[in-house]
Amino acid sequence: MKRIILGILGLIVVIGIYLGIQYQRSWDYKAVGVPVLNYHRIDTGIRHSLVVPPEEFKKQMQYLHDEGYHTITMDELYDYMTKGTELPDKPVLITFDDGYIDNYKYAFPILKEYNMKATLFMITSAFGESRFVNVEQLKEMQANGIDIQSHTVNHKDLRSMSLDQARDELIGSKAVLEDRMKHPVRYIAYPGGFSNKDIDRIAEESGYRMAFTVQAGNVEPGQNLFNLPRQAVFFNDTPFQNFWVRLHYPWENAFMWRIHDKLLEWNLKGLADLEPLF
Ligand SMILES: [Zn+2]
């Protein structure tokens, strides 16, 4: 009995030391990669995992600001990935998918307040819909450090259509955005994060430089530029912990989610539910 207790205590100490070391490493992008955070909606009064309330979003941006993080652009990340160009200390790339109007209404003023840069992946067929940002709003955002990039034309799973249709989605959205924003569009977030080898290849052929999924993890040199991971920030019962864990334990978080998905795949939901996830 005594040996079991000692064994458990020993294990707790080892895990504690490991977590301490990983926390220290997480401040060094050359050791753990660059976090690319992914948000969708920032709005009030909607309880959904993809809708972060503005006050919570502000808390997270405040944390990045206070801890000395530097928000970087897609071009900076690309130069780091392809040429090894140095990034500022504690880099983080903030992205928004879809282009909901609340990004302009709530997220943009907070980003401006902290002088932060971000990238918005816009669905171009959403232009003209009142739930989404319009070109004037996007122009104002672009003039204030928000890079407008592509999230395809129709936001459909690119694997579910012919390769020619997928190509139209990729080329069409790039052309519309470049025409309206007068700014090069070289980066894309796949709808739902879904792609395959053919889609990755077509994205490259269509003139993109990097493409993003929603697989958890940080971005590091050597990864496939057309299948880069992002850290999706969810709203749940512990939203700040959710954000904090992704920032400081990117690898462990991705690993835990992979185990979770595997357990579900093997119909072991009971076991999957036992796993502590953030
Ligand atoms: Zn989307």
Side-chain angles (χ1 to χ4, degrees):
M1 187 64 189
K2 210 172 148 194
R3 284 178 68 174
I4 293 174
I5 293 172
L6 278 176
I8 291 171
L9 284 177
L11 190 65
I12 290 172
V13 169
V14 169
I15 291 174
I17 291 171
Y18 170 79
L19 292 178
I21 291 170
Q22 290 300 84
Y23 175 78
Q24 284 306 325
R25 289 180 77 227
S26 74
W27 300 99
D28 178 6
Y29 74 94
K30 286 182 183 162
V32 298
V34 180
V36 178
L37 300 179
N38 175 220
Y39 294 92
H40 286 79
R41 304 190 56 182
I42 308 295
D43 209 346
T44 54
I46 307 163
R47 176 80 204 204
H48 188 283
S49 62
L50 294 179
V51 186
V52 177
E55 62 274 15
E56 178 55 41
F57 181 71
K58 182 164 180 167
K59 214 193 273 179
Q60 297 177 5
M61 296 306 108
Q62 173 90 49
Y63 178 81
L64 295 178
H65 173 265
D66 291 351
E67 297 297 334
Y69 279 90
H70 291 97
T71 51
I72 61 165
T73 63
M74 283 288 162
D75 287 340
E76 285 177 283
L77 182 67
Y78 178 76
D79 286 347
Y80 171 60
M81 294 291 282
T82 56
K83 291 178 254 171
T85 310
E86 294 271 320
L87 291 172
D89 199 26
K90 299 180 198 166
V92 60
L93 209 157
I94 300 168
T95 69
F96 297 88
D97 283 9
D98 304 336
Y100 281 95
I101 185 76
D102 54 61
N103 290 182
Y104 175 78
K105 210 169 146 192
Y106 296 112
F108 179 45
I110 295 168
L111 292 167
K112 251 199 315 198
E113 188 186 331
Y114 292 111
N115 209 3
M116 286 176 160
K117 299 170 200 160
T119 298
L120 189 154
F121 292 111
M122 182 70 196
I123 305 166
T124 54
S125 68
F127 277 131
E129 277 190 52
S130 60
R131 291 185 301 139
F132 291 87
V133 283
N134 62 37
V135 175
E136 286 316 305
Q137 290 158 341
L138 281 183
K139 281 188 176 157
E140 191 188 331
M141 292 170 91
Q142 185 175 266
N144 286 278
I146 315 294
D147 190 10
I148 313 302
Q149 298 292 325
S150 168
H151 199 30
T152 73
V153 178
N154 292 300
H155 200 260
K156 293 208 175 102
D157 183 343
L158 294 169
R159 303 166 308 175
S160 71
M161 56 188 77
S162 73
L163 290 182
D164 279 340
Q165 282 171 317
R167 202 184 303 269
D168 288 346
E169 287 283 333
L170 296 164
I171 292 176
S173 56
K174 183 176 179 350
V176 166
L177 285 172
E178 287 184 339
D179 176 59
R180 305 216 177 158
M181 303 309 301
K182 314 284 177 230
H183 185 81
V185 172
R186 296 170 171 149
Y187 309 102
I188 186 158
Y190 297 124
F194 302 125
S195 81
N196 55 34
K197 280 207 170 73
D198 287 329
I199 305 289
D200 297 349
R201 177 174 51 81
I202 292 175
E204 184 169 13
E205 287 168 6
S206 302
Y208 291 98
R209 289 169 150 188
M210 293 193 292
F212 292 84
T213 67
V214 286
Q215 276 152 4
N218 278 355
V219 171
E220 288 178 85
Q223 289 170 339
N224 177 358
L225 291 180
F226 293 87
N227 212 288
L228 294 171
R230 283 188 296 172
Q231 302 273 8
V233 183
F234 297 115
F235 185 71
N236 56 13
D237 292 334
T238 53
F240 190 79
Q241 284 83 338
N242 176 286
F243 161 81
W244 190 90
V245 163
R246 278 159 179 72
L247 215 50
H248 295 300
Y249 295 100
W251 187 88
E252 291 76 8
N253 180 56
F255 182 71
M256 294 294 268
W257 277 98
R258 259 203 304 275
I259 292 179
H260 180 83
D261 293 346
K262 271 280 169 249
L263 290 174
L264 289 183
E265 210 179 296
W266 296 334
N267 284 319
L268 296 169
K269 194 178 176 311
L271 219 53
D273 287 345
L274 283 178
E275 226 195 314
L277 287 171
F278 294 96

